[in-house]
Amino acid sequence: MRSNNASATPTHPIKPFTCSSGNLTVATTCNPPSSAMPPPIQNRNPTCPDYFRWIHEDLKPWKSTGISRQAVELANRTATFRLVILDGRAYVEAFHRSFQTRDLFTMWGVVQLLRRYPGRVPDLDLMFDCGDRPVIKLSDHMSSPPPPLFQVEVNIKPWKVLVKKIKVGNERLGWIDRIPYAYWKGNPTVAPTRGDLLRCNLSRTKDWNARLYTVDWTREIQQGFKQSNLANQCDHRFYDFFTRGLMPGHHYWPIRDDNKCRDIKFAVDWGNTHKKEAQAIGKAGSRFIQEELKMDYVYDYMFHFLREYAKLLKYKPTKPPKAKEICVESMACAAKGRERDYMMASMVNASYDLGPCDLPPPYDIWSSSRF
């Protein structure tokens, strides 16, 4: 059985850093490495949530072959940056800037992980792509594994703060009083399936029980994201949150990609005539976000993914000639405005003895066939 409690308790506060000028306006270099050994990881940790099993699935293409330096460097044609971790310190070679600050806060998240579990993240060499769309085609790699290029998108308020605001937003308006339609808000140009979704919007001739809204990110940036705050999207009964930890019929109602409009209408009609059952699904989804996606688990997922990835490397990583070290000092001291505020709000201020949670084994053939 897995405990619902967070996987770790901070026991070693980290000394606050200072910038070279004494304030957070001037960039500075990273402090020299500490000679202190990391505390031993204590046993009897709770088992990680079940969705951690997907780490094994995501790395399966390289399980039998391993990952060579050549394979990693093959991914730099489309990568945003290259991350190398050596002796618990992070180095980045940037290839190009990403949209908004996705690359910046991806790097920031890695730095916080190293502060949370100092000396425990193994040496590794990893390519990141911070775009919206997949850039590697499966058809190009039918006879050999694809280059190991990983995508991540981090472009919201600090999650620990935001998840509490989402809970407050959920409680602001009762389920029965919410607008009884399916609800979606986003950029429809990211993928064809999103553009196709707009066919299900309200028109003069058809009502599929869906209310779909296009986001103009340029205007949102200018207005400080006032209309896209996740905590304020709780006036509708139905919303989608995509993660492989969610189970259809328990956390959400599934919609077929080739029958979107009719499935959406059926789901809303069913929910409006089975309000108690629909509310139970909504509560289960919200509970999943509150309990299964705590920052403790986010960092533990990062830790286990990087550790399992590092096991596949067939070479000893080295610092690229053009790479620069990143740390809280070098990043936070150079940041300004909202970027600096988000960094300060999401900074890890203590290292952990207990943790991370214990990684569950891979899915077996029977269980993985359910997906």
Side-chain angles (χ1 to χ4, degrees):
M1 295 293 291
R2 179 180 60 80
S3 170
N4 285 328
N5 295 328
S7 62
T9 301
T11 53
H12 300 283
I14 299 175
K15 182 180 179 181
F17 69 93
T18 57
C19 300
S20 57
S21 66
N23 57 55
L24 294 178
T25 58
V26 179
T28 187
T29 57
C30 301
N31 290 326
S34 172
S35 59
M37 294 294 293
I41 297 179
Q42 299 182 21
N43 296 323
R44 294 187 178 181
N45 296 330
T47 302
C48 304
D50 202 55
Y51 64 84
F52 277 57
R53 295 174 183 264
W54 286 99
I55 292 175
H56 305 290
E57 297 296 315
D58 290 338
L59 295 174
K60 185 177 289 186
W62 303 279
K63 183 177 180 180
S64 60
T65 63
I67 299 174
S68 66
R69 187 188 301 272
Q70 181 182 12
V72 171
E73 293 180 343
L74 188 63
N76 69 3
R77 291 180 295 183
T78 54
T80 305
F81 66 88
R82 182 177 191 171
L83 168 71
V84 174
I85 295 178
L86 299 172
D87 298 324
R89 299 173 77 86
Y91 304 87
V92 165
E93 180 181 5
F95 301 122
H96 61 84
R97 288 302 305 268
S98 67
F99 178 65
Q100 296 179 350
T101 55
R102 294 178 183 177
D103 52 351
L104 177 68
F105 281 97
T106 299
M107 299 174 196
W108 179 256
V110 172
V111 169
Q112 302 317 302
L113 175 68
L114 297 179
R115 284 166 64 86
R116 181 184 176 94
Y117 296 130
R120 296 177 184 171
V121 179
D123 292 357
L124 56 86
D125 186 1
L126 182 67
M127 293 286 186
F128 275 103
D129 171 46
C130 297
D132 280 319
R133 298 171 177 148
V135 294
I136 296 178
K137 296 181 179 180
L138 178 62
S139 58
D140 294 339
H141 302 278
M142 299 300 293
S143 59
S144 61
L149 176 66
F150 299 93
Q151 285 188 308
V152 64
E153 180 173 336
V154 182
N155 211 32
I156 58 175
K157 294 179 179 179
W159 181 243
K160 189 173 183 179
V161 176
L162 182 58
V163 74
K164 294 180 180 179
K165 292 185 177 181
I166 291 176
K167 183 177 181 180
V168 173
N170 266 331
E171 296 171 348
R172 176 170 51 87
L173 189 64
W175 178 268
I176 301 300
D177 298 324
R178 296 184 187 182
I179 303 171
Y181 296 105
Y183 171 71
W184 179 85
K185 190 173 187 178
N187 180 2
T189 65
V190 169
T193 187
R194 288 193 179 189
D196 182 60
L197 176 64
L198 294 184
R199 294 188 302 104
C200 309
N201 216 347
L202 176 67
S203 68
R204 293 182 178 180
T205 59
K206 197 68 177 178
D207 186 356
W208 295 106
N209 290 343
R211 299 297 182 261
L212 314 174
Y213 303 91
T214 298
V215 174
D216 183 342
W217 286 115
T218 300
R219 185 172 60 185
E220 285 296 311
I221 293 172
Q222 295 172 347
Q223 297 179 353
F225 303 96
K226 293 180 180 179
Q227 302 302 318
S228 58
N229 187 347
L230 287 179
N232 295 332
Q233 309 299 314
C234 301
D235 293 337
H236 296 72
R237 293 183 187 170
F238 300 88
Y239 59 93
D240 41 79
F241 182 87
F242 298 104
T243 175
R244 291 173 294 187
L246 297 175
M247 298 300 295
H250 178 65
H251 298 109
Y252 71 98
W253 191 281
I255 301 297
R256 291 171 292 181
D257 189 57
D258 60 352
N259 198 39
K260 293 186 183 74
C261 299
R262 286 184 173 83
D263 280 4
I264 289 173
K265 188 177 189 313
F266 178 85
V268 176
D269 287 341
W270 180 88
N272 288 333
T273 56
H274 299 77
K275 295 180 180 180
K276 185 177 181 180
E277 293 89 341
Q279 184 176 11
I281 294 176
K283 285 185 175 180
S286 296
R287 188 164 53 249
F288 178 91
I289 294 174
Q290 297 289 333
E291 298 178 0
E292 305 291 310
L293 293 179
K294 295 178 180 179
M295 277 308 302
D296 292 301
Y297 287 140
V298 172
Y299 282 123
D300 286 2
Y301 193 96
M302 293 170 60
F303 176 88
H304 283 301
F305 179 87
L306 294 178
R307 188 176 70 167
E308 295 302 310
Y309 171 85
K311 292 178 182 178
L312 298 172
L313 294 180
K314 300 166 64 176
Y315 64 97
K316 180 176 176 56
T318 57
K319 177 178 174 292
K322 296 182 180 180
K324 297 181 179 179
E325 185 174 9
I326 58 171
C327 57
V328 291
E329 299 95 335
S330 66
M331 298 186 72
C333 291
K336 298 179 181 179
R338 185 182 291 112
E339 293 178 7
R340 184 179 65 189
D341 293 340
Y342 284 7
M343 287 181 178
M344 295 299 101
S346 60
M347 185 181 299
V348 170
N349 294 312
S351 61
Y352 289 61
D353 283 351
L354 183 63
C357 57
D358 291 336
L359 180 65
Y363 287 110
D364 55 33
I365 296 177
W366 179 86
S367 60
S368 61
S369 66
R370 295 179 299 165
F371 303 95

